[in-house]
């Protein structure tokens, strides 16, 4: 065993040595490749630079040559115009010399210009007689006789030595002259040493023709029309040197100009005759001087060998060092590999476990929900059944307490599952129409008893421009409100909790005006004529000043202008199908400590350790509310000041609902308000403007006209019937008095009037209602007032009290507006099969359905259900538990659907041959009974063929929702 380990260690060490050597070789190779690549790039750039400079010089030289030839051509036209066939000639030697001297800048490549006239042999004697001199050869001897001559008659001062010389006497000059006049182009001689400068140069020859020569003349016509020849000396060395000296980079390159007419013996016109062969680059640019018989080129090379760039040395060295460091790092990491192998293995196991836990998360939630909800279903169901029996007051209190605790536990489970569904992205919102104001009243009523115990004001106010019916998810909307209002009531011991709903645009605009006013010195405090220190609902300071009376004055003025223009602007209601609401929940409680405000929306986090101990709760409600608000297209924020209070504001985007849901009892969440009080008048005594606006809001919903006063002494004078007149029931005036503005010891006059009114026992007279915040005040003031109404007030509560007070006949409520009655009408006489393996749940479900008149049959397994539901059968619906042994509810439902499909197909084939027969398919409504309410389970229910589900423990609300959708209109399955 030890030998094997040693051999393995030696083998590993050998492989490490080979790997290190290979690594070094690779590093050297990479560095070498980088070095040669960078050198090659440097050389390429140098070559490109050489090509660019050489081409630039060649182009400039050609352009200058073209300019020179054009000017020589211009001189030829000048001579042909003013000298040919003119007697006397308009041009003489003096004129020609001066003109060519002054225009020499136009011919930068020529040292001078001379004109030789064409003279035939028979004209020689006359020509020499006219000129006064004898034609000479280049050797200064008299010109020998020949067919024609070309003596120089005009010359620039720089080439005055050419005067009187016959250019036809030289063999090469003669050849150039003949080529020039036949081609019509400028021609060049072979390079030769120029007289005077002894520099290499060439002679440029250009034929001068008669003016009448056509543009397309033939060779014979050109020869016949020739009258002379212009020539110029081209000092290549001086002129090219002068031209190139004006360009940058001359110190870096060497330029040579060659005549390569004879390719085997190229003649150097400019530049050194020898070059350094060690210089690597040479570029050749062809020169076109217009002579088709001669070829020239420019050769450029660097003056000295190019130095190697430092980057071609330092970069490869740096790369080599990096490779070595990288190799060292890899070797060090590899040497540690053996030590951390076990840790890596453990990490892989943990990763696998985490992935498995994530996959099992949905199943875990389903199991937890099922295992907790199943016994809770039995507990709450049995308690509900127990409360339906005859109990003593003590027993009933115990049962109600246990039921309340069970529902609190279910609420906690729902919150945890909601949070999990939100994190998993599985929470879906419904879109159903609902009455927003009724929903707000329902939420407030949930906390009425708690607010009365604490003697705090609890109120809701909805602006008039908020639509009555909206389309959205009322249950999730209610959940947000319940969480926020519940927290506000829980943490408030004095003052108020105020819920306000308005359009988001109005909220932002008016809040900005209030804040601007506050910045100008208005801090929200009331003047000396009002009670309380602050103009809020209860008179206590609020954290957010946007709910002060300054804000309400602007808000109410907007409402009144809107109501005045409502008839003429009905089209405005449909400007947008979406409305964004801003809902604020203001309290005057303990507030949130500054250090805890950053973690308010963190799940399971409380402000401090004492919060949960003193007030209870888990810290998950605000987190869920934030997520739900964002899912509903809004957001949530808060303003809080310790020991002053908090104001939570959330927004949500809903759709307008143009259908009146009050006539649709299947979708209405609450009873419609009565209309019997329209036209009645009321007087409200309240010194707090905000609270007064809230009370007027509820009364105006009933159609009651309200007059608000804040002076108790003016009440008796304002009260109708004071002078003995009676008031009819339809126009009876009701006096509403806030309890904190009622002072029996000081308001003696009003007290005596009320006692006199009480003694008269007039049923048709005016009535007085006292508004209080505590149940204890009912007994205290019950002997004085007609009725004592305990807040929080709601429109439905006011309607009920006034109906009882004035004995107003109310229209009978339709049966289907009563949930229990409507459920009974749906379920009475229906045959329903309940399938559940838990006997307690069977008893609870059967009792709940029998309560509404259904005929219930129970089985404990999916197989038994399949045997009973073989078509034809007598059942109208089936409540199926999803988690059962042997065969769960999903598989049982799938088999039921398969059986129905097979039977429907057989019946359909039989009825095809019968004319006029009506075919109705078997389809039994199957509702899942599940304690697992996550989205994955709902999708599985629908996929298996179920029509919906009822979560455990189910109550009247969800039973109503499920049954009203599936049982109404169900065709008898035995057809």
């Amino acid at each position: 065993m030890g030998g094997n380990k040693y051999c393995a260690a030696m083998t590993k060490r050998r492989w490490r040595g080979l790997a290190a050597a290979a690594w070094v070789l690779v590093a050297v190779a990479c560095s070498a490749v980088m070095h040669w690549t960078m050198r090659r790039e440097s050389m390429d750039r140098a070559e490109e630079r050489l090509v660019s400079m050489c081409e630039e010089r060649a182009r400039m030289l050609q352009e200058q040559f073209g300019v020179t030839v054009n000017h020589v051509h211009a001189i030829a036209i000048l001579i042909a115009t003013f000298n040919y066939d003119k007697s006397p000639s308009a041009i003489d030697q003096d004129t020609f010399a001066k003109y060519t001297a002054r225009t020499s800048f136009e011919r930068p490549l020529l040292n001078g210009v001379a004109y030789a006239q064409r003279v035939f042999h028979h004209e020689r004697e006359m020509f020499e007689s006219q000129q006064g001199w004898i034609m000479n050869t280049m050797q200064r001897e008299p010109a020998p006789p020949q067919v024609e001559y070309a003596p120089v008659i005009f010359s620039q001062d720089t080439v005055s030595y050419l005067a009187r010389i016959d250019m036809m006497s030289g063999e090469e000059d003669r050849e150039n002259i003949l080529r020039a006049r036949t081609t019509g182009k400028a021609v060049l001689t072979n390079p030769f040493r120029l007289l005077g400068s002894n520099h290499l140069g060439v002679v440029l020859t250009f034929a001068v023709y008669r003016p009448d020569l056509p543009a397309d003349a033939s060779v014979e016509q050109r020869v016949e029309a020739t009258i002379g020849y212009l020539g110029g000396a081209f000092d290549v060395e001086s002129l090219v040197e002068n031209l190139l000296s004006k360009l940058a980079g001359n110190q870096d390159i060497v330029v040579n100009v060659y005549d390569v007419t004879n390719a085997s013996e190229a003649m150097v016109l400019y530049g050194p005759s020898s070059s350094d062969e060690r210089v690597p680059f040479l570029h050749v640019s062809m020169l076109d001087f217009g002579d088709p018989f001669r070829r020239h080129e420019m050769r450029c090379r660097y003056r000295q060998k190019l130095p190697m760039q430092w980057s071609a040395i330092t970069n490869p060295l740096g790369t080599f060092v990096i490779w070595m460091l990288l190799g060292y790092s890899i070797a060090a990491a590899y040497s540690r590999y053996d030590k951390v192998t076990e840790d890596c293995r453990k990490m892989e196991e943990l990763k696998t476990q985490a992935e498995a836990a994530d996959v099992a998360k949905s199943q875990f939630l389903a199991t937890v929900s099922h295992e907790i909800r199943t016994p809770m279903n039995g507990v709450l169901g049995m308690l509900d059944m127990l409360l339906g029996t005859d109990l003593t007051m003590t027993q009933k209190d115990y049962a109600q307490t246990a039921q309340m605790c069970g529902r609190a536990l279910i609420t906690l489970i729902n919150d945890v599952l909601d949070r999990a569904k939100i994190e998993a992205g599985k929470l879906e919102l419904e879109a159903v129409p609902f009455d927003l104001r009724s929903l707000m009243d329902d939420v407030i009523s949930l906390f009425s008893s708690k607010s009365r115990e604490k003697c705090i004001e609890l109120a809701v106010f909805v602006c008039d421009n908020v639509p009555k019916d909206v389309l959205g998810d009322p249950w999730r909307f209610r959940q947000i409100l319940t969480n926020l209002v519940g927290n506000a009531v829980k943490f408030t011991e004095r003052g108020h909790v105020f819920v306000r709903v308005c359009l988001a645009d109005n909220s932002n605009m008016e809040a900005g005006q209030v804040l601007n006013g506050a910045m100008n010195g208005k801090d929200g405090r009331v003047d000396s004529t009002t009670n309380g220190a602050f103009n809020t609902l209860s008179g206590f300071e609020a954290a957010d000043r946007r709910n002060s009376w300054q804000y309400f004055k602007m808000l109410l003025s907007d409402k009144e202008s809107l109501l005045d223009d409502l008839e003429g602007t009905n089209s405005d209601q449909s400007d947008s199908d979406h409305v964004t609401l801003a809902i604020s929940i203001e309290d005057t409680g303990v507030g949130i400590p500054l250090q805890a405000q950053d973690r308010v929306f963190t799940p399971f986090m409380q402000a401090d350790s004492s919060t949960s101990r003193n007030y209870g709760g888990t810290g998950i409600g605000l987190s869920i509310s934030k997520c739900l608000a964002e899912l509903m297209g809004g957001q949530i924020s808060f303003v809080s000041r310790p020991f002053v209070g908090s104001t939570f504001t959330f927004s949500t985007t809903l759709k307008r609902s143009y259908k009146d849901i009050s006539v649709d009892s299947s979708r209405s969440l609450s009873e419609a308000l009565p209309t019997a009080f329209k036209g009645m008048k009321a007087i409200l005594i309240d010194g707090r403007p905000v609270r007064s606006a809230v009370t007027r809001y509820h009364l105006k919903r009933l159609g009651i006209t309200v007059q608000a006063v804040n002076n108790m002494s003016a009440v008796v004078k304002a009260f109708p019937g004071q002078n003995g007149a009676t008031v009819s029931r339809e126009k009876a005036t009701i006096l509403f008095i806030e309890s904190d503005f009622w002072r029996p010891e000081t308001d003696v006059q009003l007290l005596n009037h009320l006692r006199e009114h009480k003694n008269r026992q007039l049923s048709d007279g005016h009535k007085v209602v006292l508004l209080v915040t505590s149940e204890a005040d009912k007994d205290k003031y019950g002997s004085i007032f007609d009725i004592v109404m305990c807040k929080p007030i709601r429109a439905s509560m006011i309607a009920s009290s006034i109906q009882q007070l004035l004995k107003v006949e109310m229209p009978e409520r339709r049966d289907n507006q009563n949930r229990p009655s409507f459920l009974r009408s749906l379920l009475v006489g229906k045959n329903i099969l309940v399938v559940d393996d838990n006997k307690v749940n069977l008893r609870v479900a059967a009792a709940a359905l029998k309560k509404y008149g259904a005929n219930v049959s129970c089985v404990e397994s999916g197989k038994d259900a399949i045997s009973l539901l073989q078509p034809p059968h007598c059942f109208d619906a089936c409540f199926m538990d999803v988690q059962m042994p042997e065969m769960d509810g999903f598989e049982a439902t799938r088999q039921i659907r398969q059986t129905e499909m097979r039977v429907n197909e057989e019946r359909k084939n039989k009825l095809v041959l019968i004319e006029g027969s009506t075919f109705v398919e078997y389809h039994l409504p199957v509702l899942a009974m599940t304690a697992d309410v996550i989205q994955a389970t709902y999708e599985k229910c629908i996929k298996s063929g179920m029509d919906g589900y009822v979560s455990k423990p189910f109550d009247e609300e969800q039973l109503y929702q499920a049954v009203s959708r599936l049982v109404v209109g169900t065709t008898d399955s035995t057809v």
Side-chain angles (χ1 to χ4, degrees), residues 700-914:
K700 288 171 67 176
R701 288 174 63 192
L702 297 173
I704 300 175
T705 303
V706 185
Q707 177 186 356
V709 296
N710 60 0
N711 189 348
M712 292 291 294
S713 61
V715 174
V716 176
K717 296 179 181 180
F719 211 92
Q722 177 65 24
N723 296 324
T726 60
V727 181
S728 64
R729 178 178 304 170
E730 289 75 10
K731 296 183 179 181
T733 298
I734 306 174
L735 177 63
F736 290 88
I737 304 176
E738 283 289 343
S739 61
D740 51 357
F741 279 84
W742 170 252
R743 298 291 183 272
E745 62 277 7
T746 58
D747 300 326
V748 179
Q749 184 179 6
L750 179 60
L751 179 60
N752 293 334
H753 174 74
L754 290 176
R755 286 176 176 173
E756 180 183 354
H757 161 71
K758 192 74 174 179
N759 294 331
R760 290 177 184 175
Q761 300 288 329
L762 293 178
S763 60
D764 292 339
H766 41 266
K767 305 297 180 182
V768 183
V769 179
L770 183 68
L771 303 177
V772 299
T773 58
S774 173
E775 292 283 355
D777 293 333
K778 281 190 174 183
D779 298 332
K780 181 178 179 181
Y781 299 111
S783 60
I784 300 176
F785 298 94
D786 294 291
I787 191 169
V788 177
M789 193 178 300
C790 194
K791 294 185 284 187
I793 61 173
R794 307 185 308 279
S796 59
M797 183 177 71
I798 296 175
S800 177
S801 299
I802 296 178
Q803 188 271 335
Q804 179 183 357
L805 188 65
L806 301 180
K807 297 180 174 55
V808 177
E809 294 184 1
M810 304 289 289
E812 293 185 3
R813 186 171 57 185
R814 292 170 297 181
D815 290 339
N816 60 352
Q817 288 182 331
N818 189 319
R819 290 294 173 86
S821 299
F822 187 50
L823 268 177
R824 173 172 291 277
S825 67
L826 294 177
L827 296 177
V828 65
K830 300 291 183 180
N831 298 317
I832 297 178
L833 178 65
V834 179
V835 187
D836 199 323
D837 61 310
N838 189 297
K839 294 183 179 181
V840 176
N841 288 338
L842 276 178
R843 292 180 60 188
V844 171
L849 295 171
K850 288 179 180 179
K851 177 181 177 181
Y852 300 104
N855 301 321
V856 182
S857 300
C858 300
V859 293
E860 298 182 4
S861 68
K863 291 183 178 180
D864 294 340
I866 293 174
S867 63
L868 288 177
L869 295 176
Q870 294 294 324
H873 54 74
C874 61
F875 293 101
D876 300 295
C878 176
F879 285 75
M880 178 83 69
D881 187 25
V882 297
Q883 293 187 7
M884 294 182 292
E886 297 184 12
M887 179 183 294
D888 59 21
F890 302 122
E891 180 60 29
T893 304
R894 275 191 290 266
Q895 293 192 20
I896 292 171
R897 296 306 182 209
Q898 291 173 1
T899 303
E900 288 177 344
M901 289 177 60
R902 177 177 52 80
V903 174
N904 286 333
E905 191 66 26
E906 293 175 356
R907 293 175 62 240
K908 192 174 184 179
N909 294 334
K910 292 179 180 179
L911 292 176
V912 169
L913 302 176
I914 304 175

Side-chain angles (χ1 to χ4, degrees), residues 554-624:
M554 289 182 290
L555 194 62
L556 293 174
S557 63
D558 288 344
K559 286 164 46 182
E560 292 170 359
S561 62
L562 178 67
L563 290 173
D564 292 339
D565 300 336
L566 188 60
E567 294 181 359
T569 58
N570 289 334
S571 59
D572 294 343
Q573 296 178 359
S574 58
D575 286 347
S576 175
D577 287 338
H578 292 80
V579 290
T580 301
L581 304 180
I583 303 96
S584 67
I585 297 90
E586 175 187 271
D587 69 69
T588 56
V590 296
I592 303 173
L594 297 178
Q595 67 275 11
Q597 292 186 6
D598 292 338
R599 59 176 186 269
V600 163
F601 296 109
T602 304
F604 304 105
M605 293 293 292
Q606 298 276 27
D608 52 43
S609 59
S610 64
T611 301
S612 180
R613 187 168 59 250
N614 295 333
Y615 298 99
T618 60
I620 195 174
L622 287 178
S623 173
I624 294 174

Side-chain angles (χ1 to χ4, degrees), residues 416-640:
V416 175
L417 291 177
D418 281 345
R419 181 68 196 182
K421 286 191 286 186
I422 292 172
E423 290 178 350
K426 298 294 185 179
L427 187 66
E428 295 183 357
L429 300 178
E430 291 195 24
V432 298
F434 65 95
D435 186 336
L436 180 65
R437 289 168 175 78
S438 296
L439 185 144
M440 300 299 296
D441 287 348
D442 292 343
V443 172
I444 292 298
S445 66
L446 296 177
F447 304 96
S448 57
S449 61
K450 194 69 175 177
S451 66
R452 292 164 185 170
E453 290 178 7
K454 293 186 173 185
C455 295
I456 61 175
E457 296 275 0
L458 176 59
V460 62
F461 180 86
V462 181
C463 298
D464 283 351
N465 54 4
V466 174
K468 177 180 181 296
D469 299 324
V470 292
L471 194 68
D473 193 331
W475 296 275
R476 296 302 178 184
F477 188 82
R478 183 198 300 266
Q479 185 175 358
I480 299 176
L481 281 173
T482 302
N483 282 333
L484 296 178
V485 176
N487 284 344
V489 173
K490 183 196 321 183
F491 292 103
T492 302
E493 299 297 333
R494 85 288 184 276
H496 66 267
V497 174
F498 185 29
V499 183
R500 177 181 55 83
V501 184
C502 66
L503 296 182
D505 293 340
N506 293 350
S507 176
N508 296 335
M509 178 185 67
E510 289 147 1
Q513 295 179 12
V514 171
L515 292 179
N516 291 337
M519 293 174 63
N520 292 329
K522 299 178 182 179
D523 60 356
R525 291 183 179 274
V526 300
D527 53 29
S528 58
T529 62
T530 58
N531 295 329
F534 293 90
N535 239 337
T536 59
L537 182 69
S538 63
F540 285 86
E541 182 181 8
D544 193 344
R545 288 172 293 180
R546 287 178 296 183
N547 283 0
S548 65
W549 176 236
Q550 279 110 353
Y551 174 78
F552 259 78
K553 282 193 296 186
M554 289 182 290
L555 194 62
L556 293 174
S557 63
D558 288 344
K559 286 164 46 182
E560 292 170 359
S561 62
L562 178 67
L563 290 173
D564 292 339
D565 300 336
L566 188 60
E567 294 181 359
T569 58
N570 289 334
S571 59
D572 294 343
Q573 296 178 359
S574 58
D575 286 347
S576 175
D577 287 338
H578 292 80
V579 290
T580 301
L581 304 180
I583 303 96
S584 67
I585 297 90
E586 175 187 271
D587 69 69
T588 56
V590 296
I592 303 173
L594 297 178
Q595 67 275 11
Q597 292 186 6
D598 292 338
R599 59 176 186 269
V600 163
F601 296 109
T602 304
F604 304 105
M605 293 293 292
Q606 298 276 27
D608 52 43
S609 59
S610 64
T611 301
S612 180
R613 187 168 59 250
N614 295 333
Y615 298 99
T618 60
I620 195 174
L622 287 178
S623 173
I624 294 174
S625 298
K626 181 177 185 297
C627 296
L628 290 177
E630 292 172 352
L631 283 175
M632 298 172 73
Q635 56 185 359
I636 189 170
S637 61
F638 70 95
V639 176
S640 183

Side-chain angles (χ1 to χ4, degrees), residues 4-58:
N4 293 337
K5 289 185 178 180
Y6 176 77
C7 292
M10 291 300 295
T11 302
K12 186 178 295 185
R13 186 177 300 174
R14 188 182 303 113
W15 278 108
R16 286 181 180 177
L18 293 175
W23 186 269
V24 173
L25 291 177
V26 170
V28 172
C30 290
S31 301
V33 169
M34 177 178 285
H35 171 74
W36 288 112
T37 300
M38 297 186 70
R39 281 201 63 185
R40 183 69 260 172
E41 291 176 353
S42 175
M43 300 294 277
D44 290 343
R45 288 194 297 271
E47 185 176 6
E48 291 175 1
R49 182 168 177 266
L50 177 64
V51 171
S52 175
M53 290 191 295
C54 191
E55 291 293 337
E56 180 184 16
R57 284 155 176 76

Side-chain angles (χ1 to χ4, degrees), residues 9 40 70 83 112 141 175 178 257 321 380 385 479 500 517 525 616 624 627 649 655 671 674 808 895 899 939 961:
R40 183 69 260 172
N70 290 337
N83 181 66
E141 298 175 355
E175 182 181 350
L178 296 178
V257 180
V321 172
L380 294 179
M385 293 170 63
Q479 185 175 358
R500 177 181 55 83
R525 291 183 179 274
I624 294 174
C627 296
T649 303
K655 287 186 177 181
E671 184 181 350
V808 177
Q895 293 192 20
T899 303
E939 294 172 354
Q961 292 292 336

Side-chain angles (χ1 to χ4, degrees), residues 116-150:
Q117 184 175 327
R118 183 182 185 185
V119 180
F120 290 97
H121 181 67
H122 65 274
E123 300 173 341
R124 177 175 179 174
E125 184 176 350
M126 182 183 298
F127 174 81
E128 290 179 343
S129 173
Q130 291 176 350
Q131 296 294 330
W133 42 264
I134 300 174
M135 291 181 283
N136 296 325
T137 63
M138 290 291 183
Q139 290 77 25
R140 301 294 179 180
E141 298 175 355
Q146 50 189 5
V147 177
E148 60 179 280
Y149 307 92

